[in-house]
């Protein structure tokens, strides 16, 4: 049947930047057709350099012959297609999507995100585009939006990648992009998660631009009586009113509570309840 070759079509439809390694469509450890592909495995390289990690993914490392994945996800958020054929990226320790443990390389595509594998090493472009990249391929392959897995979940005894991504938040973003791509709105400028929450809660006009929090990871935007927060590990959520006053006294997201993970919910006796990463506020 030959290899799956739909990368350009998939990336153009999603509005993703991309490039191809010379002879990409002649590289692999055997054929992997679109019909055989059951899921996508999400990795990080543990290197951190586009050029150095390309050599490893293309040519192999540590005694393992390349290619080691079909796609290198570069620091600028673009997809670089390295190989079309089977790649040694995920031997698998579990049964997933009907594929027996140990057989994953023959039934999956691998994406290697260029990163040292530390919490703060991902670029903003990578954080924004990684789930979009996964969604673009799933749509083109005719798979559902849950046909992907982190490497650490596929090989839980031996792998930790990709560090600094939360599976639930990543899934939410994959699903959002998947629906946009299928609906033909992928190239329409997307509102950020913070903007969507502010719009849903009718918070009015913002008084600041979106800005990076002091930890260099989270984002926030101030509205008249609220601050809306978002991180790659937590959904966008607003803190306002008396909760915001107390949150400020404690030190905002640097406090013992961390970032909010829900909006405020009304409870009995005119009270409210809100969940944060490390505790709740009543």
């Amino acid at each position: 049947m030959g290899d799956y070759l739909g990368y350009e079509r998939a990336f153009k439809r999603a509005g993703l930047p991309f490039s191809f390694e010379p002879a990409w469509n002649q590289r692999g450890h055997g054929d992997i057709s679109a019909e055989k592909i059951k899921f996508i495995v999400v990795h990080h390289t543990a290197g951190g350099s586009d050029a150095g990690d390309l050599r490893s993914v293309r040519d192999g490392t540590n005694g393992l012959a390349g290619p080691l994945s079909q796609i290198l996800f570069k620091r600028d958020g673009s997809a670089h297609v390295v190989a079309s054929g089977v790649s040694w990226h995920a031997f698998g320790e579990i049964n997933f999507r009907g594929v027996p443990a140990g057989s994953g390389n023959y039934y999956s595509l691998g994406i290697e995100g260029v990163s040292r594998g530390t919490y703060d090493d991902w670029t903003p472009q990578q954080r924004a585009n990684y789930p979009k990249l996964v969604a673009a391929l799933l749509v083109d392959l005719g798979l559902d939006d849950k046909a992907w897995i982190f490497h650490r979940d596929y090989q839980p005894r031996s792998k930790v990648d990709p560090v600094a991504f939360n599976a639930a938040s990543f899934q939410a973003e994959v699903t959002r992009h998947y629906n946009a791509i299928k609906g033909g709105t992928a190239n329409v400028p997307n509102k950020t998660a913070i903007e969507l929450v502010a719009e849903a809660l009718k918070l009015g006009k913002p008084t600041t631009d979106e800005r990076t929090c002091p930890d260099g990871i989270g984002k926030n935007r101030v509205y008249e009586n609220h601050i809306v927060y978002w991180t790659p590990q937590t959904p966008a959520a607003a803190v306002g009113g008396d909760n915001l006053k107390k949150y400020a006294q404690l030190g905002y997201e640097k406090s013992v509570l961390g970032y909010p993970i829900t909006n405020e919910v009304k409870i009995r006796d005119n009270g409210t309840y809100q969940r944060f990463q490390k505790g709740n506020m009543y």
Side-chain angles (χ1 to χ4, degrees), residues 8 17 37 39 56 61 70 79 97 99 106 127 130 132-133 170 182 221 225 247 256 267-268 270 280:
E8 182 173 359
I37 298 167
F39 56 92
S56 296
T61 186
Q70 284 84 5
R97 291 268 160 168
V99 176
Y106 300 97
R127 291 184 183 276
Y130 213 160
K132 189 175 187 180
L133 171 56
F170 196 91
K182 288 195 75 173
R221 194 170 197 180
N225 296 308
Y247 196 46
V256 294
I267 57 176
R268 66 184 184 184
N270 295 318
N280 305 322

Side-chain angles (χ1 to χ4, degrees), residues 69-87:
S69 269
Q70 284 84 5
I71 299 171
L72 185 76
F73 182 50
K74 298 170 70 174
R75 303 283 289 178
D76 63 0
S78 66
H80 184 70
V81 183
V82 177
S84 61
V86 172
S87 299

Side-chain angles (χ1 to χ4, degrees), residues 188-209:
V188 176
N190 288 317
K191 293 182 179 179
T192 67
I194 287 177
E195 289 173 318
L196 290 172
V197 165
E199 185 177 279
L201 296 177
K202 297 181 172 58
L203 299 185
K205 293 183 178 180
T207 59
T208 70
D209 293 329

Side-chain angles (χ1 to χ4, degrees), residues 26-43:
Q26 301 169 37
R27 189 175 292 113
H29 305 286
D31 291 344
I32 182 166
S33 64
E35 292 78 11
K36 286 187 68 177
I37 298 167
K38 304 299 182 186
F39 56 92
I40 293 168
V41 184
V42 177
H43 306 258

Side-chain angles (χ1 to χ4, degrees), residues 109-168:
L109 297 181
I111 306 173
E112 294 280 356
V114 175
S115 171
R116 293 193 301 271
T118 58
Y119 188 87
D120 59 351
D121 189 51
W122 298 95
T123 67
Q125 296 94 327
Q126 286 178 307
R127 291 184 183 276
N129 281 359
Y130 213 160
K132 189 175 187 180
L133 171 56
V134 172
L137 292 169
L138 294 177
V139 171
D140 196 73
L141 287 162
L143 298 172
D144 65 82
D145 64 324
K146 295 180 175 60
W148 66 273
I149 190 168
F150 284 153
H151 197 201
R152 65 179 187 245
D153 296 322
Y154 196 45
Q155 292 184 229
R157 293 193 299 267
S158 56
K159 301 299 180 181
V160 298
D161 58 313
V163 165
F165 283 99
N166 171 271

Side-chain angles (χ1 to χ4, degrees), residues 198-268:
E199 185 177 279
L201 296 177
K202 297 181 172 58
L203 299 185
K205 293 183 178 180
T207 59
T208 70
D209 293 329
E210 280 193 25
R211 53 199 186 174
T212 302
C213 296
D215 61 9
I217 298 168
K219 301 279 188 181
N220 72 46
R221 194 170 197 180
V222 179
Y223 293 77
E224 185 175 354
N225 296 308
H226 289 77
I227 301 178
V228 184
Y229 289 90
W230 171 90
T231 81
Q233 288 75 40
T234 59
V239 187
D242 290 335
N243 281 8
L244 181 57
K245 292 177 183 176
K246 186 63 178 179
Y247 196 46
Q249 291 172 6
L250 293 172
Y252 296 104
E253 72 278 0
K254 295 184 290 183
S255 72
V256 294
L257 290 175
Y259 285 94
I261 58 176
T262 69
N263 295 316
E264 183 179 287
V265 176
K266 291 183 179 179
I267 57 176
R268 66 184 184 184

